[in-house]
Amino acid sequence: MNQPSSNFSVTTLHPNLVCMVETLTVELPSVESAIALAGTQENNLKTLSKQTGATLVMRGQELLISGTKQQVNLGRKLVAALKDYWSQGKPINSVDILTARQALDDHQEGTLQELQQDVLARTRRGDVIRAKTFRQRQYIQAVRTHDLTFGIGPAGTGKTYLAAVLAVQALLSNQYERLVLTRPAVEAGEKLGFLPGDLQQKVNPYLRPLYDALYEFVEPEKIASLMERGIIEVAPIAYMRGRTLNNAFVIVDEAQNTTPAQMKMLLTRIGFRSKMVVTGDLTQTDLPHHQTSGLMMAERILRSVDGVAFCNLSKADVVRHQLVQRIVEAYEEFEQ
């Protein structure tokens, strides 16, 4: 970041009250960096203003930060904390800004830099995949270091997507012989028997999120070949009974819709040299009201078991549209 220049002005708020307002000018290295920092419709500037109390205005390649000395200083630090992104013209969103603010509050600037520079994978299009929040990074580390990891949190926190990314990377690097994707065939008001087609065609809509993650890294034609050869297996939970999954990376999605018996059955399928990731959102259970969620029961029973990791994500980790984060927050407030 170039050495900024500062200008000062005095604003009279009351005959006996004078407030010193400082304006800091930050020169950005390129138009691309200015666009990346400002965000779509300058949404990033609005988020930065909300987080700091300062007013941020982009004029060409100059960023003007105005406010009290404390507000401007916080704005300067927050913009500097995001330099690894905007200096290279990389897109920035509200989650990046909130994570940077958290790092400043907790004096974790060094950890923030590690988070920003730790590339998890690259898609077929060359897009970089990385953890967006500290909890997401902890989740990734837990999956890498544990044979059984539970990822629990609201929609949009990357639970399933990140697990699928890690699974595909492990499969492509020959760490495991196969990838098994499974989830309960339970949805609100709809059953598999009502859907047309054979078993695979009936199951596919329920596993769309897992497929979407696979398509980011593997050509669709290759996925079909891998499935034909049994290297990638997609099946409802009922088809897991009686099996032992050796040398496999297993992802159990939408686990909040398992019964306690189904969850126990699934967890005891883990074989030698295998890894299992169980994901779910306890606030979106589609089971009958009298039925206890297997995911909830597993959290109570296994929380203190050695070798099992539980990662709880929150609305602060939502990396979808900003509106999703506000929706999750509104529902939490209503339910409380």
Side-chain angles (χ1 to χ4, degrees), residues 10 26 32 41 143 146 177 183-184 217 229 234 251 283 319 328:
V10 177
V26 179
E32 290 75 17
Q41 298 181 337
V143 173
H146 292 76
E177 291 181 352
R183 63 179 283 183
F217 302 95
R229 293 153 53 195
V234 179
I251 298 177
T283 68
V319 293
V328 172

Side-chain angles (χ1 to χ4, degrees), residues 181-185 192 199 203 207 234-240:
L181 310 174
T182 185
R183 63 179 283 183
L192 283 179
L199 173 65
V203 171
L207 293 151
V234 179
I237 282 176
Y239 283 71
M240 296 295 107

Side-chain angles (χ1 to χ4, degrees), residues 116-162:
Q116 293 171 341
Q117 296 176 354
D118 184 12
V119 176
L120 180 60
R122 290 183 182 274
T123 67
R124 291 188 290 115
R125 298 187 302 272
D127 296 333
V128 172
I129 305 298
R130 56 162 59 87
K132 286 285 190 177
T133 69
F134 290 118
R135 286 195 189 94
Q136 282 191 348
R137 188 164 187 253
Q138 291 169 357
Y139 174 51
I140 291 169
Q141 291 173 336
V143 173
R144 285 172 170 168
T145 56
H146 292 76
D147 290 337
L148 176 58
T149 302
F150 288 84
I152 303 173
T157 52
K159 307 179 300 296
T160 302
Y161 183 77
L162 292 174

